[in-house]
Amino acid sequence: MMNNENIISKETKLFGYIGEHAGVSSFSAKLNGLFKINSDDIMMIPMNIREDDLFFTVTNMKKSHVNGAVISSEYVAKIPDMMDDMSAIAKQSGMCDIIYKKDEKLRGDIFSIRVLTEHLKDLYVSKIAIIGINHYAKAFSFLSCGFEVSYFNDNLEALMVFTQEVDLINADINRIAVDMPVDLSAFDVVLDFSNFESLVMIQKFPRYAFDMKNTKQFSALKQRAEELENSYISYDDLLAKLTEKAYEEIKHF
């Protein structure tokens, strides 16, 4: 088996882990560990790809020996335009974090937000505050059944459009801005899906604070959590569960 000898054969299924700093992430190593334990002839290869080279790299997968790829968080919103097909949630959210190749066509889907929602269920959280209206916020909203979600954004008009796009009726929407102190301690968790450079307006955190930033990305949530001595959980902190889910998806592809 390939993973016992670390040898790639003609039968080995190859998947890439695409990110700007993919090589320093332990994602590939953790996933390859699962392939080895289960004697699967599959290998995940870390691929350090600059944004300028992303389109060429992904679209050329159609003619390559690579069977698919997992996409690091910084690139997930750039992938949909490169796909031949996408799952319904990927189309609606405008992001893909896993790609499958079949018959020289690429299909995009989402797995990381499914991991996040399952993790939150494991924590028995109920009340969730979401900051921002990006692609992750959309994906989470489509999977948020069973949670009581409140939405925060600096632009209320854009937030109202967002709630219409994700078919939310009578959503709890709130404006948030640097000059408007906010207390989130009544919530169980805050999810930051914004592009705020500062979250200084947060005066009190709930017990849990998450975003989907990797350690190479700036996180305003992490910065504010540290200032208030609150716990913070990043994309990389969820790697064990993310790789387990990626393993399931790839194994059954």
Side-chain angles (χ1 to χ4, degrees):
M1 287 294 176
M2 176 275 301
N3 275 298
N4 289 332
E5 303 293 338
N6 289 325
I7 297 172
I8 298 174
S9 70
K10 291 182 179 180
E11 289 74 33
T12 303
K13 289 184 178 180
L14 297 177
F15 284 79
Y17 178 59
I18 296 176
E20 187 175 7
H21 305 284
V24 300
S25 170
S26 60
F27 188 99
S28 298
K30 288 180 180 292
L31 193 51
N32 283 329
L34 292 175
F35 293 142
K36 180 176 288 188
I37 289 171
N38 292 283
S39 299
D40 298 314
D41 197 7
I42 308 172
M43 179 175 277
M44 174 69 70
I45 302 171
M47 302 170 67
N48 290 337
I49 304 298
R50 298 180 307 169
E51 185 174 342
D52 290 345
D53 298 324
L54 184 63
F55 181 85
F56 176 83
T57 301
V58 173
T59 55
N60 272 15
M61 284 172 52
K62 297 179 181 182
K63 300 290 185 180
S64 74
H65 296 295
V66 177
N67 297 92
V70 172
I71 309 299
S72 185
S73 55
E74 68 270 23
Y75 288 153
V76 296
K78 300 181 183 299
I79 299 300
D81 289 342
M82 308 174 200
M83 297 296 98
D84 298 297
D85 187 27
M86 291 189 289
S87 66
I89 188 172
K91 288 178 182 178
Q92 292 171 312
S93 304
M95 65 169 278
C96 298
D97 57 19
I98 191 165
I99 302 171
Y100 308 99
K101 184 184 76 174
K102 185 175 183 180
D103 300 327
E104 296 189 0
K105 292 186 180 297
L106 302 179
R107 185 176 192 274
D109 203 351
I110 293 173
F111 82 99
S112 61
I113 292 297
R114 299 183 194 279
V115 172
L116 177 59
T117 56
E118 289 303 314
H119 184 62
L120 294 178
K121 290 176 183 177
D122 290 342
L123 294 176
Y124 298 101
V125 305
S126 176
K127 298 185 66 176
I128 298 175
I130 290 182
I131 302 174
I133 54 174
N134 72 358
H135 42 278
Y136 278 119
K138 284 186 176 181
F140 186 88
S141 295
F142 289 123
L143 297 171
S144 63
C145 182
F147 297 119
E148 182 182 342
V149 182
S150 297
Y151 294 86
F152 295 79
N153 195 51
D154 57 343
N155 186 321
L156 274 183
E157 184 177 350
L159 184 51
M160 292 177 68
V161 172
F162 168 88
T163 60
Q164 294 171 359
E165 291 175 342
V166 295
D167 297 323
L168 293 174
I169 300 174
N170 298 323
D172 180 24
I173 62 175
N174 307 270
R175 184 168 180 268
I176 189 171
V178 172
D179 59 349
M180 297 175 60
V182 60
D183 181 350
L184 299 179
S185 60
F187 294 93
D188 299 315
V189 60
V190 57
L191 305 177
D192 179 28
F193 297 137
S194 75
N195 59 359
F196 284 127
E197 294 183 1
S198 172
L199 290 173
V200 68
M201 73 287 284
I202 300 179
Q203 301 299 299
K204 291 185 179 181
F205 270 81
R207 180 177 181 182
Y208 301 108
F210 289 79
D211 63 23
M212 297 303 284
K213 304 283 182 65
N214 62 51
T215 54
K216 290 295 183 179
Q217 294 175 282
F218 170 74
S219 169
L221 186 70
K222 178 183 179 181
Q223 183 180 67
R224 188 57 175 158
E226 289 176 347
E227 291 170 352
L228 297 179
E229 299 182 347
N230 199 88
S231 64
Y232 160 77
I233 301 171
S234 70
Y235 179 93
D236 288 353
D237 293 322
L238 294 174
L239 277 185
K241 291 192 174 184
L242 286 165
T243 51
E244 287 173 5
K245 181 63 174 177
Y247 174 82
E248 293 174 8
E249 296 289 328
I250 291 171
K251 182 69 182 288
H252 296 101
F253 168 59

